[in-house]
Amino acid sequence: MMLVRLNTRHELPQIAMRQTQGRLDESGIIQPRAQGTNQQARSNKTVTQPGLTLNSYPSRRAYGHRTMNDLTAEQGRRGLSNANSATSSHTRKGWAAATNAAKRGDDISQNAKAEMFSNYQARAVFDLGFIPDPQMQGRPNQVVGEPNLGDISVDIETAPSARIQYTPGSVETYLQNEGFIRHWVSYDNYDIYA
C-alpha cells in the first residue's frame, strides 16, 4: 500500500526598511563680513623758513641815492618851482624896468652885471642831516599745518538669522517578501526537491 505523505514548504515573510537620513544644509549659513577703512594718521606739519626783510632805502636816500620815481618826482617839483620863480623874477624886473627906466640913476646894465657876478660870490652850502638806519624786520620760522588723526573703522555685517534648511529623515517599512505556505501530497516518500 502506498502511503500518502503531506509535504509542506514555507517561507517566512520578510519586512524591509528604507531609511533616509535627516539632512542639514549648511550652505545657507551666511558668514559675517567685515569691511572698513584704515586711513593712517599723518602729521601734515611743516616748518617755514625764517626770513629777514631789509629796507635800506631811507638811509640811501639821505646820501642822495634815489629811485627813478623819487628822482623824477623831485625834479618835476623843482622844475615847476624854478619856472614859477623865473616867471615872477622876469615879471618883477620887467615892471621895474618899465617904471624906473626913465629915472635917473637906474642903470640896467649895472644891475645885470651885479646879478651875474653875484653867482660867483656864492658860497658852498652844506646840509647836515640825520641819516636814518636801515629798517630790518625778522620773521621767525613757524610750524604750520593741521594734523590728520586718521580713521580706522570696521563695519561687521551679519545676517539676522541663519538660513539653514533641514530635511527630516524618514523610515519606511514595506513587505519585501510576502512569504508562503504550500502543501502537496506525495506517495511513499517526502518530496524534498519541491
Side-chain angles (χ1 to χ4, degrees):
M1 159 176 217
M2 286 183 44
L3 285 164
V4 177
R5 310 272 184 187
L6 178 62
N7 295 301
T8 302
R9 180 173 172 117
H10 70 87
E11 191 173 292
L12 295 173
Q14 293 178 343
I15 297 175
M17 296 174 78
R18 185 176 298 128
Q19 179 180 358
T20 306
Q21 295 288 334
R23 202 173 74 212
L24 179 65
D25 185 10
E26 297 177 2
S27 65
I29 296 178
I30 301 171
Q31 295 295 329
R33 288 187 324 185
Q35 55 183 342
T37 59
N38 184 0
Q39 182 182 3
Q40 296 297 321
R42 294 176 181 244
S43 70
N44 290 338
K45 296 272 190 182
T46 185
V47 178
T48 61
Q49 293 294 324
L52 178 66
T53 304
L54 180 64
N55 184 8
S56 63
Y57 182 66
S59 59
R60 286 188 297 120
R61 184 174 180 189
Y63 283 111
H65 300 284
R66 294 178 295 266
T67 62
M68 187 56 73
N69 289 339
D70 283 349
L71 180 63
T72 54
E74 185 181 320
Q75 292 299 324
R77 284 192 300 273
R78 185 174 171 191
L80 286 174
S81 172
N82 288 347
N84 287 337
S85 108
T87 303
S88 65
S89 171
H90 290 310
T91 305
R92 192 176 64 251
K93 287 179 187 175
W95 279 111
T99 56
N100 296 330
K103 292 183 183 175
R104 190 173 201 176
D106 185 27
D107 191 0
I108 295 175
S109 62
Q110 194 103 26
N111 289 339
K113 240 187 233 183
E115 185 181 342
M116 187 172 64
F117 285 110
S118 71
N119 289 338
Y120 289 112
Q121 295 171 358
R123 296 188 178 180
V125 177
F126 295 100
D127 286 336
L128 297 176
F130 172 72
I131 304 217
D133 292 331
Q135 298 170 355
M136 289 186 285
Q137 184 176 7
R139 187 176 63 250
N141 55 353
Q142 294 178 339
V143 177
V144 295
E146 289 296 321
N148 183 355
L149 302 178
D151 181 23
I152 297 176
S153 63
V154 178
D155 184 20
I156 299 175
E157 181 183 330
T158 58
S161 60
R163 289 183 292 212
I164 298 174
Q165 186 169 1
Y166 175 69
T167 305
S170 64
V171 176
E172 180 186 349
T173 58
Y174 60 93
L175 189 60
Q176 186 175 8
N177 192 353
E178 293 182 4
F180 59 88
I181 297 176
R182 286 192 205 131
H183 301 288
W184 71 93
V185 290
S186 63
Y187 299 100
D188 285 333
N189 1 355
Y190 287 107
D191 187 3
I192 61 171
Y193 298 107

